[in-house]
Each structure stands twice: as C-alpha cells, then as structure tokens.
C-alpha cells in the first residue's frame, strides 16, 4: 500500500512539468491586430534610426566646417586697365585709355552650402577716362568717373576659373572744360549710371595654405549714362584674402 502511494505521488509531480514543457514548445500565436486592408509594417530598427541621425549630424557638421574653416575671408582689391569706347556726343565712338581700382567681396561665403558659397561676389569700383579735343587756340576736355556697386554670379569652369555675369548701379561724375586762349570755363555734373557685363575670372592660390589668392579678370563692361552708352574692354589683377 505504501509503495502504491509513493508511485502515485511521483506521477503527480512529473505530469505538471511535462505539461509546462509542451506549452513552451507550442508556436507563438500570430498577432492579428492589423486589419485586412492595411498590412502589418515592420517596425524600424533602432540601429537604422541611429545611422540616419548620424548621417544628418555629419551633414550639418560638414556645412559648419565649410563656413568656418574656409582659409579665405573673401575680400580683396584689384587694379583695372583697358580701352573705353566712349559714346561721343558728335556721333560715333571715341576710344580712350581707362584705368581704375575695385574692391571685391565674395558675399557668397555667408551661405553654408559649399557650392553656392563660391558663386557670388560684388565689386565696389571706380573707373576713369578722359578725352581732349580742339586746336591750339580752342581746346575742350572731359573726364568721366564711373562709381558703381555691382553684384555678380559665377558659373565655375574649374576649381579656380569661372565665367561670370554682372549688373550694377552707380553714379557717373563728369568734369568738362573749354579753354579759349587764356580763358577757361569749367562745368561739372553727375547722373545715374547703369552697368552690365560679362567676363572670365580666375583665383589661383599663391601660398600653400590658400589664405592668399591671386585674382585676375578679362571682361567686357557697358555703362549707360543718360543717353550715352560706353563700352569697356579691360583686364584686372589683384589679391584676395
């Protein structure tokens, strides 16, 4: 009798363990909470989200470095000389030598995008030309001063060379005089000036760290002053910091 009770007790202890083992081996029930019209979508892994955030951080860091670690400030100055085909009041063109100076600011460097920051600059320019005419007894002369502010957009050809188009506004200051024997009469005036033109611009580095660049240009520029239309063929050279 005692042996029978011991056997039943052992069977009772083994049976719940076997049932639990069968429950653990059973397949995991399918989650059918998603509707038939909208299939269940896999959840985004945390690894993918982390990689995406790292890519965005790297892009923002590159933009910050492009604007803060640039070796140049984008400011410089150039000397300019060439031929000015003045629109003569008596008709035709009056070719004269012209020279001047201009200050350059590459304001595109205010933009964080690495490509756009190289596309924009502006000139503050002064250019001068003078004409003379007459006989030993009667002489006339006129000097033309062109003051202008002209932004430009550049289309890069290579890393250091680009084509550019430019428009600007300013003031034309004219000083004229007539001398008859020993008597001279002078007049002066100013009028609105409109400028436009195209050119080729280069910016090769002249030091290894590129903090100083040589700038050069070849350009065709036209000035509209009143009803006169002057055309300038010129070249310029300078430095950019």
């Amino acid at each position: 009798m005692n042996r029978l009770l011991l056997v039943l007790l052992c069977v009772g202890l083994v049976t719940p363990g076997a049932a639990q083992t069968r429950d653990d081996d059973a397949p995991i029930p399918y989650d059918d909470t998603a509707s038939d019209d909208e299939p269940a979508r896999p959840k985004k892994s945390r690894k993918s989200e982390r990689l995406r955030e790292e890519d965005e951080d790297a892009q923002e860091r590159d933009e910050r470095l492009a604007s803060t670690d640039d070796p140049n400030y984008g400011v410089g100055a150039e000397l300019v000389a060439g031929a000015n085909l003045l629109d003569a009041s008596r008709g035709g063109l009056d070719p004269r030598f012209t020279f001047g100076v201009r200050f350059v600011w590459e304001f595109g460097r205010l933009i964080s995008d690495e490509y756009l920051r190289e596309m924009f600059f502006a000139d503050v320019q002064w250019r001068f030309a003078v004409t003379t005419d007459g006989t030993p007894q009667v002489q006339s002369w006129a000097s033309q001063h062109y003051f202008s502010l002209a932004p430009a957009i550049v289309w890069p050809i290579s890393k250091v060379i680009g084509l550019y188009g430019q428009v600007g506004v300013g003031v034309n200051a004219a000083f004229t005089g007539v001398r008859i024997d020993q008597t001279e009469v002078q007049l002066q005036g100013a009028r609105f000036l409109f400028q436009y033109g195209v050119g080729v611009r280069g910016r090769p580095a002249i030091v290894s760290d590129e903090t100083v660049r040589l700038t050069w240009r070849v350009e065709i520029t036209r000035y509209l002053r009143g009803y006169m239309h002057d055309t300038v063929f010129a070249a310029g050279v300078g430095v950019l910091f």
Side-chain angles (χ1 to χ4, degrees):
M1 185 65 178
N2 293 334
R3 292 180 179 179
L4 179 60
L5 292 176
L6 181 61
V7 169
L8 292 176
L9 180 61
C10 291
V11 171
L13 292 175
V14 171
T15 302
Q20 184 177 1
T21 302
R22 287 194 299 271
D23 293 341
D24 293 340
D25 293 338
I28 299 174
Y30 178 73
D31 185 8
D32 57 351
T33 57
S35 63
D36 296 337
D37 296 335
E38 182 180 356
R41 300 179 180 178
K43 296 181 180 180
K44 294 183 179 179
S45 66
R46 294 182 179 179
K47 184 177 180 180
S48 299
E49 293 181 356
R50 186 172 64 254
L51 292 176
R52 178 173 55 82
E53 292 175 356
E54 290 177 355
D55 291 341
E56 292 177 353
D57 293 340
Q59 183 177 0
E60 293 178 359
R61 183 171 60 254
D62 291 342
E63 291 180 355
R64 289 196 302 268
L65 291 176
S67 59
T68 59
D69 293 347
D70 196 309
N72 290 111
Y73 293 103
V75 295
E78 297 177 0
L79 296 175
V80 189
N84 190 347
L85 306 182
L86 291 162
D87 195 352
S89 58
R90 64 177 179 269
L93 299 176
D94 188 5
R96 298 289 174 170
F97 175 74
T98 181
F99 66 91
V101 63
R102 60 187 165 208
F103 298 95
V104 184
W105 177 35
E106 295 182 339
F107 65 91
R109 297 180 183 276
L110 299 175
I111 305 174
S112 60
D113 185 85
E114 186 174 0
Y115 181 76
L116 294 178
R117 65 190 283 107
E118 300 290 339
M119 289 186 62
F120 303 98
F121 70 90
D123 293 330
V124 177
Q125 180 175 253
W126 166 74
R127 197 189 297 268
F128 170 79
V130 62
T131 62
T132 58
D133 199 1
T135 66
Q137 289 75 29
V138 179
Q139 294 181 350
S140 65
W141 56 270
S143 61
Q144 305 291 339
H145 299 261
Y146 306 87
F147 300 93
S148 64
L149 170 62
I153 181 171
V154 182
W155 293 271
I157 299 177
S158 67
K159 185 177 180 180
V160 297
I161 299 177
L163 300 174
Y164 69 90
Q166 189 173 37
V167 295
V169 295
V171 175
N172 167 238
F175 299 86
T176 62
V178 177
R179 177 180 298 171
I180 302 176
D181 293 332
Q182 301 300 320
T183 304
E184 184 178 72
V185 177
Q186 295 186 6
L187 298 173
Q188 59 187 16
R191 65 185 71 183
F192 172 79
L193 178 73
F194 179 73
Q195 169 189 341
Y196 62 96
V198 295
V200 180
R201 180 175 185 248
R203 301 180 308 145
I206 58 179
V207 294
S208 58
D209 60 0
E210 300 185 359
T211 55
V212 182
R213 292 180 178 270
L214 174 72
T215 61
W216 58 265
R217 290 195 224 177
V218 178
E219 61 185 345
I220 303 174
T221 305
R222 304 202 74 187
Y223 296 99
L224 178 61
R225 50 183 180 93
Y227 59 89
M228 302 291 191
H229 220 150
D230 304 331
T231 304
V232 176
F233 296 87
V237 63
V239 292
L240 186 73
F241 299 97

